[in-house]
Amino acid sequence: MGLGRTLVLGFIAGATIVLGLPIGRLRRPAPALRAVLNATAVGVLLFLVWDVLTHAWEPIDAALGAVHDGGGSLSTVFGYGALFVGGLAVGLLSLVAYEGWIGRVTARAALTPNAEALAGMRVDGTRRRVGIASWSVARRLALLIAVGIGLHNFAEGLAIGQSAARGEIALATLLVVGFALHNATEGFGITAPLAGDLGPDGTPRRPSWPFLLGLGLIGGGPTFVGAAVGHGFTSEPLSLVFLTLAAGSIIYVITQLLGVAARTKRADLLAYGLLLGMVAGFATDAVVTAGGA
């Protein structure tokens, strides 16, 4: 399959992420609905962590099997193992450092004595840029989820591109169908925290369509890029690195969403949402697995 058709497949697989974005614009969702949406997003992300780590571990498992059979090398095992641990560490700890930096910037802004500066204005009356540090917790969570899913979707794009380049058209098409279903649920996972977003005065705040589409581009666009890269060459180490980066970042986001869920004090809604999200993840993955991918 040529590069042009491969890019079309990558675009289709990634574009369906927009189907879940309208969730973020719900008007005044009830507290119970917000709790279920948050828990369902956690369920989807838990499935993704399992899925990502399973695929990331495959080359290490294969290398260990080759060593056991006498035809492999321990250097390959340790090389893949270092990539696995390094990717997890960077994906997880980089977000810890990022959130710490955001917290320090926000704290410094809160301590400034200039009321106009607090409002985002310079002394001369012009508007200053306050950046991501001025975003609400819900918006920052949505961005972090989009980044983690984007790393995961880049690895999915690699699989599409590699299958198309090898002439496995049926497999490539099936991957597109499965990943397109996946991305529809992932779009929901990105925007679920936004359904309960509040402004500085405590009133519900709905994200703009450009903001939502930007999140969709961050989360779904890498599928297209990965398909282009995968069509050009096959790299198992590259795929492993992006999978573990995604796993580390998603694990961090899950801890944040669980903190939000704990504040609702509704263990029943948390359980329902987790079950719904994980079932949705496994159901869409079944389409890919059914084709032998």
Side-chain angles (χ1 to χ4, degrees):
M1 182 180 291
L3 177 60
R5 291 184 179 181
T6 302
L7 293 179
V8 171
L9 292 179
F11 174 80
I12 294 172
T16 56
I17 202 168
V18 304
L19 298 178
L21 299 182
I23 291 293
R25 286 180 58 85
L26 285 177
R27 290 182 179 272
R28 298 179 178 274
L33 177 58
R34 290 202 301 267
V36 171
L37 290 175
N38 181 80
T40 305
V42 175
V44 171
L45 294 178
L46 282 174
F47 163 77
L48 285 178
V49 168
W50 170 85
D51 185 55
V52 166
L53 290 180
T54 298
H55 286 88
W57 185 256
E58 285 177 355
I60 300 175
D61 190 60
L64 286 169
V67 170
H68 179 270
D69 295 336
S73 169
L74 283 176
S75 62
T76 302
V77 175
F78 286 117
Y80 280 139
L83 291 177
F84 187 96
V85 174
L88 272 179
V90 172
L92 178 60
L93 299 182
S94 63
L95 292 187
V96 173
Y98 168 80
E99 280 292 286
W101 173 76
I102 289 293
R104 291 191 296 272
V105 171
T106 304
R108 285 198 299 268
L111 291 174
T112 179
N114 190 331
E116 288 184 334
L118 284 174
M121 301 295 292
R122 293 191 180 94
V123 176
D124 61 4
T126 59
R127 191 78 181 175
R128 69 180 176 91
R129 292 181 179 272
V130 292
I132 296 175
S134 65
W135 289 12
S136 66
V137 174
R139 291 193 171 210
R140 292 205 298 268
L141 267 178
L143 176 62
L144 294 179
I145 295 172
V147 170
I149 287 177
L151 291 169
H152 167 245
N153 284 343
F154 180 83
E156 289 186 347
L158 287 176
I160 294 173
Q162 291 167 9
S163 298
R166 292 194 298 263
E168 299 171 352
I169 309 302
L171 175 58
T173 303
L174 184 64
L175 288 173
V176 169
V177 173
F179 292 154
L181 290 172
H182 254 323
N183 284 341
T185 61
E186 290 168 358
F188 162 76
I190 290 173
T191 57
L194 297 174
D197 193 17
L198 299 176
D201 57 354
T203 58
R205 178 168 54 185
R206 301 170 71 202
S208 65
W209 281 113
F211 179 77
L212 290 177
L213 291 176
L215 293 178
L217 182 62
I218 294 171
T223 310
F224 177 84
V225 178
V229 174
H231 189 272
F233 72 99
T234 299
S235 175
E236 195 168 56
L238 178 66
S239 179
L240 189 155
V241 167
F242 273 91
L243 286 170
T244 51
L245 283 172
S249 59
I250 293 172
I251 288 171
Y252 178 79
V253 170
I254 288 173
T255 65
Q256 301 299 299
L257 291 177
L258 286 175
V260 174
R263 289 195 290 272
T264 65
K265 298 180 180 180
R266 290 295 305 270
D268 55 337
L269 297 181
L270 175 61
Y272 296 145
L274 286 173
L275 179 61
L276 179 61
M278 287 190 289
V279 168
F282 280 103
T284 56
D285 186 65
V287 177
V288 181
T289 305

